[in-house]
Amino acid sequence: MAATTETQQALKDIGGDYKHGFVTDIEMDVAPKGLDEAVIRMISAKKLEPEWLLDWRLEAFRKWGKEEEPEWAKVHYPAIDFQDIHYYAAPKKKDGPKSLDEVDPELLETYAKLGIPLREQEVLAGVMGSPNIAVDAVFDSVSVATTYKKKLEEMGIIFGSFSEAVKTHPELIRKYLGSVVPVSDNFYATLNSAVFTDGTFVYVPKGVRCPMELSTYFRINTKETGQFERTLIIADEGSYVSYLEGCTAPMRDENQLHAAVVELIALDNAEIKYSTVQNWYPGDKNGKGGIYNFVTKRGACRGVNSKISWTQVETGSAITWKYPSCILQGDNSQGEFYSVAITNNMQQADTGTKMIHIGKNTRSRIISKGISAGRGQNTYRGLVRVMAGAENARNYTQCDSLLMGDKCGAHTVPYIEVKNPSAQIEHEATTSKISEDQLFYCLQRGLTQEEAVAMIVNGFCKEVMQNLPMEFAVEAQKLLGISLEGSVG
Amino acid sequence: MTTMLEIKNLHAAVDGKEILKGIDLTVKAGEVHAIMGPNGSGKSTLAYVLAGRAGYEVTEGSVSYDGKDLLEMSADERARDGVFLGFQYPVELPGVNGMTFLRTAANAVRKHRGLKELDGIDFLKLLRQKASLLEMDDGLLKRAVNVGFSGGEKKRNEIAQMAVLDPHLMVLDETDSGLDIDALKVVSKGINALRGPDKATVLVTHYQRLLSYVEPDFVHILARGKIVASGGKELALELERDGYVNYVPEAA
């Protein structure tokens, strides 16, 4: 397919460097460094939040003070000074943009450079090859633009920035915020609960099948800023939605923290498909700089026959700590986790999933593909838990690791806890190297070394990649090639 | 006829052990040469050296291809320039669609030749045309490359790739091994269909069997890293009758 050729072209175009490493020079409204109650009050005030939400944040902040940073993951990094981070940064503006015409042209330019079409006519002109994507763009701490809002509104679908939804649909936020990832869930989720700035909110009403891919594009721009976004997606009874997020950040020598929380709720017969293409700046070859991606993502299949499917392609970040999970509460509900994680150079990833089977006849499927190159360390960590009441639960897990070179590492840490004897659990795992035979075979047919590696790796990841929405699959295939550039030979 | 391949005093080693000990061979355009020899004589090593496989170190001698120094070219450059190796054991590429793989390869070759790259539809046309020439269906190409293929399917797939890539110099390493008589006929037919005045073929084989279907112009016997005898196709028949005993005493 053309994707491999395009990977090569992309490689040439960017000369192997991180493509999204530029900085947008724009006037920013930045909170002073450090975190205390005053900063939280400031964030809440900036967003004109109701009293209850401020109280929620403050409670989280007090709990955070008592929690400890998790140390069980197989990742190593110097201690983070949480007082040396800006917790709020927003492009300066008079009022919120009412339409795209009011969005700062500098920002539109930034997203155009990233290949994210914010102007609907650009989307229609086929910038991404398909008009069926609505985009919400989050720049540092705030959402700057949402496309196709009107069209979605006509169907009753709410899609937009989190802070706006707090104003327009407080009842939904109040009901569901923190209901899947409680305030005190873990150190980073608690921190996020205290300081989250913006993110995306989606509500799909009963019986509605969302006709387009919903997409959020996250961009960290300001120096020494943490990005703490909060995403909440609710699929009401019998509805369906497919959502995709993409992420980039400038190249900087210092590390930047990204601690997001994503909560998904699927009610009776509803389905949510959540895809991520994570390409935060991974740091340089020697491990200097890069994003610390410490993210809590969890979905609750609350209703009967509901389904949540996570697909992630993790190519960026210096450190990835992330376990998109499913709580399979409703009878006959299904959870899926498809993951490709690449660690090249000095990157470290500790990622996997948790599948918690509570309801009867619940099913889960885990397909994890880890690729380690350079000195990268890649860990799959997963939990399959079958509770006593979960009659006839089933799980299938497959963890494959691919090693490139002899200085990288692949680790698999699966936990299985079964409290109901009717459960059927399968676990398969393989570890392999790209063989000399495979490479030579490709070279002998005329492929270059880079094309050959991209071809073999894309083949290895195929079961995951085919779960991505079409519009993003090509992009993701390119990313795999770019991320592994220079890792063989 | 022009000389396509000229090998002079070729020595090559694998892991420091010398396998080829001074090979001389000239192949002209339009010719088919068969290289025969007992196990361990260096037949596959010669094929790999011609294709430029890493780890096969040329310690002495020269190889010119179309007037160019073949040994100066990387493996993928050789392939794009028209050197094709049919593998004795074609390699599995899990998850890599055969069509995708072959189109990428075909376009790499076409680009090198200054031809327009083919889109999916044009490629499919070319593929159908080649497949009908070989009386093969294109079903194999819809699967992952060589994954779960039988021995015969793998070899047929090699010939299909060869037909699409349209190489000038075809080096076929034991393409006949592991084939039943029907598969052997199909594969031979493919090889014959790809013969031409501007192409040359080097058949590396253990048995005379293939040569009943693909008639060689020359037969060479390789033993202990050297060509010890050369002749016409009658040499192959002699080997079939007497074995290698007259050339390699210990083979008796």
Side-chain angles (χ1 to χ4, degrees):
Chain A
M1 201 158 66
T4 314
T5 332
E6 282 167 24
T7 302
Q8 292 323 302
Q9 196 49 50
L11 277 174
K12 280 175 205 139
D13 292 348
I14 62 166
D17 287 332
Y18 182 69
K19 186 172 158 187
H20 308 300
F22 61 90
V23 180
T24 305
D25 189 10
I26 192 164
E27 221 184 321
M28 297 293 288
D29 188 3
V30 181
K33 277 185 183 176
L35 186 56
D36 53 23
E37 285 206 9
V39 169
I40 291 167
R41 284 178 193 282
M42 187 215 90
I43 292 170
S44 190
K46 285 256 184 213
K47 300 196 161 290
L48 308 169
E49 284 177 356
E51 190 72 26
W52 67 264
L53 192 50
L54 173 62
D55 290 344
W56 197 79
R57 287 174 180 279
L58 291 173
E59 189 204 333
F61 178 64
R62 284 189 280 270
K63 285 187 172 158
W64 182 66
K66 292 175 203 137
E67 285 179 8
E68 287 187 14
E69 270 185 83
E71 282 171 355
W72 41 263
K74 196 176 164 51
V75 292
H76 303 282
Y77 53 93
I80 299 171
D81 181 355
F82 289 93
Q83 297 303 332
D84 195 34
I85 296 172
H86 295 287
Y87 286 85
Y88 183 83
K92 258 190 191 156
K93 59 182 178 197
K94 286 159 202 98
D95 288 305
K98 287 180 186 65
S99 78
L100 282 169
D101 296 331
E102 291 176 31
V103 174
D104 192 315
E106 278 273 3
L107 280 177
L108 288 178
E109 179 65 19
T110 298
Y111 282 93
K113 259 197 237 178
L114 295 168
I116 311 300
L118 290 185
R119 292 192 170 276
E120 286 166 24
Q121 63 267 36
E122 285 171 14
V123 182
L124 287 168
V127 178
M128 301 279 281
S130 161
N132 286 320
I133 308 160
V135 181
D136 183 26
V138 177
F139 194 80
D140 286 335
S141 300
V142 293
S143 168
V144 291
T146 307
T147 61
Y148 280 111
K149 231 175 155 152
K150 198 144 186 77
K151 191 171 168 187
L152 293 166
E153 263 169 22
E154 283 163 17
M155 306 184 73
I157 297 168
I158 306 164
F159 171 56
S161 79
F162 194 92
S163 36
E164 201 179 293
V166 168
K167 290 174 205 142
T168 55
H169 299 86
E171 72 296 342
L172 286 171
I173 302 274
R174 216 171 165 170
K175 182 169 176 189
Y176 290 108
L177 180 67
S179 74
V180 187
V181 179
V183 166
S184 54
D185 188 81
N186 69 69
F187 183 83
Y188 295 108
T190 308
L191 175 62
N192 174 289
S193 302
V195 302
F196 74 87
T197 39
D198 215 333
T200 302
F201 177 78
V202 178
Y203 172 79
V204 188
K206 274 184 196 174
V208 172
R209 201 180 158 85
C210 184
M212 56 178 76
E213 302 287 340
L214 300 184
S215 166
T216 299
Y217 206 84
F218 294 104
R219 171 82 182 160
I220 297 179
N221 190 61
T222 307
K223 218 175 145 177
E224 297 170 331
T225 313
Q227 189 170 37
F228 304 93
E229 86 267 2
R230 189 103 197 173
T231 298
L232 179 58
I233 299 177
I234 302 148
D236 212 329
E237 291 171 22
S239 68
Y240 167 84
V241 63
S242 171
Y243 176 89
L244 183 127
E245 60 174 5
C247 335
T248 58
M251 288 161 74
R252 294 190 196 285
D253 284 348
E254 80 271 16
N255 296 105
Q256 282 181 289
L257 178 63
H258 173 253
V261 171
V262 175
E263 295 178 281
L264 312 183
I265 295 122
L267 302 179
D268 286 356
N269 303 302
E271 179 176 349
I272 302 173
K273 195 172 152 59
Y274 192 106
S275 313
T276 303
V277 175
Q278 186 263 107
N279 186 26
W280 296 119
Y281 178 54
D284 70 7
K285 282 204 160 81
N286 303 314
K288 199 167 170 59
I291 302 291
Y292 291 163
N293 191 34
F294 299 156
V295 172
T296 305
K297 290 184 169 178
R298 197 173 301 153
C301 286
R302 295 242 163 105
V304 296
N305 306 318
S306 55
K307 181 174 175 184
I308 288 177
S309 177
W310 297 99
T311 303
Q312 60 173 21
V313 176
E314 305 280 320
T315 63
S317 294
I319 300 175
T320 297
W321 179 95
K322 181 181 166 187
Y323 315 89
S325 304
C326 295
I327 300 168
L328 304 169
Q329 214 172 331
D331 289 350
N332 311 317
S333 60
Q334 289 180 57
E336 292 177 339
F337 174 73
Y338 298 98
S339 170
V340 170
I342 292 186
T343 50
N344 195 2
N345 298 320
M346 300 293 280
Q347 281 177 277
Q348 305 172 60
D350 193 300
T351 184
T353 185
K354 286 190 272 187
M355 293 290 175
I356 314 295
H357 293 255
I358 300 169
K360 295 184 178 67
N361 305 312
T362 46
R363 280 170 289 164
S364 62
R365 185 177 168 83
I366 299 170
I367 308 286
S368 165
K369 305 276 180 178
I371 300 156
S372 316
R375 293 173 179 274
Q377 294 294 327
N378 208 317
T379 303
Y380 167 81
R381 188 182 302 276
L383 168 68
V384 176
R385 176 179 285 156
V386 177
M387 309 292 271
E391 284 295 318
N392 298 317
R394 285 184 185 197
N395 163 265
Y396 174 76
T397 300
Q398 186 186 331
C399 295
D400 296 326
S401 304
L402 188 67
L403 298 167
M404 299 168 74
D406 55 7
K407 294 186 174 63
C408 55
H411 318 273
T412 304
V413 191
Y415 298 84
I416 299 173
E417 293 174 22
V418 179
K419 295 191 175 125
N420 185 306
S422 65
Q424 288 182 38
I425 310 284
E426 283 177 76
H427 183 97
E428 289 181 20
T430 66
T431 301
S432 55
K433 283 184 92 161
I434 285 193
S435 73
E436 286 293 327
D437 285 348
Q438 287 176 325
L439 273 179
F440 177 62
Y441 191 71
C442 294
L443 294 178
Q444 214 301 307
R445 294 299 180 255
L447 276 62
T448 60
Q449 183 94 356
E450 286 81 15
E451 282 174 328
V453 169
M455 185 77 80
I456 294 165
V457 167
N458 272 306
F460 174 76
C461 302
K462 193 183 172 196
E463 289 158 283
V464 173
M465 303 300 263
Q466 67 194 10
N467 285 294
L468 283 177
M470 260 261 278
E471 293 84 346
F472 302 99
V474 174
E475 191 70 20
Q477 282 183 330
K478 282 191 219 170
L479 254 183
L480 291 190
I482 292 166
S483 307
L484 289 169
E485 201 235 0
S487 54
V488 170
Chain B
M1 278 191 291
T2 53
T3 298
M4 182 166 289
L5 181 70
E6 189 157 34
I7 304 175
K8 284 185 181 161
N9 190 33
L10 181 67
H11 291 249
V14 180
D15 290 334
K17 186 177 179 240
E18 188 169 63
I19 311 281
L20 300 184
K21 298 170 181 171
I23 293 201
D24 293 284
L25 179 67
T26 302
V27 178
K28 293 197 165 91
E31 293 176 349
V32 174
H33 288 243
I35 311 274
M36 302 184 70
N39 290 331
S41 57
K43 300 191 300 292
S44 289
T45 300
L46 176 61
Y48 282 144
V49 167
L50 292 177
R53 179 163 197 161
Y56 289 74
E57 195 197 345
V58 174
T59 49
E60 208 182 325
S62 67
V63 181
S64 85
Y65 163 71
D66 259 348
K68 287 164 276 192
D69 183 352
L70 187 71
L71 303 178
E72 279 298 302
M73 297 159 78
S74 66
D76 52 320
E77 279 168 352
R78 295 180 201 196
R80 288 192 293 274
D81 210 38
V83 178
F84 181 93
L85 172 63
F87 283 67
Q88 183 178 3
Y89 304 108
V91 181
E92 296 189 1
L93 301 176
V96 178
N97 176 271
M99 211 77 96
T100 306
F101 177 69
L102 188 50
R103 182 151 78 91
T104 308
N107 280 335
V109 172
R110 290 178 68 90
K111 205 171 160 185
H112 178 77
R113 292 179 183 168
L115 297 170
K116 189 172 78 73
E117 292 184 42
L118 298 175
D119 62 22
I121 294 162
D122 288 341
F123 176 72
L124 207 59
K125 278 186 197 155
L126 174 73
L127 196 62
R128 293 253 159 84
Q129 182 204 332
K130 297 290 184 187
S132 74
L133 179 78
L134 305 179
E135 291 177 26
M136 284 163 59
D137 66 56
D138 53 13
L140 287 179
L141 287 165
K142 290 176 180 154
R143 294 157 57 182
V145 180
N146 292 320
V147 177
F149 287 19
S150 70
E153 285 174 334
K154 283 183 181 172
K155 298 298 172 72
R156 274 169 50 200
N157 194 36
E158 293 289 287
I159 302 302
Q161 291 184 13
M162 186 166 86
V164 169
L165 296 177
D166 194 26
H168 301 143
L169 175 64
M170 296 167 273
V171 180
L172 300 175
D173 187 8
E174 307 244 1
T175 294
D176 52 336
S177 69
L179 295 186
D180 62 29
I181 193 72
D182 293 326
L184 183 66
K185 280 181 186 166
V186 172
V187 164
S188 306
K189 190 168 178 149
I191 297 171
N192 284 326
L194 298 172
R195 290 173 80 153
D198 57 346
K199 294 176 183 300
T201 309
V202 176
L203 294 174
V204 172
T205 182
H206 196 73
Y207 299 107
Q208 193 273 337
R209 202 169 65 138
L210 175 69
L211 305 182
S212 313
Y213 297 97
V214 183
E215 203 170 293
D217 300 302
F218 300 94
V219 174
H220 310 276
I221 297 171
L222 187 62
R224 280 175 286 180
K226 279 187 166 180
I227 288 178
V228 293
S230 294
K233 60 185 173 187
E234 68 285 347
L235 188 55
L237 296 169
E238 183 202 314
L239 286 179
E240 181 76 359
R241 195 181 60 235
D242 303 337
Y244 290 105
V245 66
N246 295 332
Y247 303 97
V248 194
E250 65 268 35

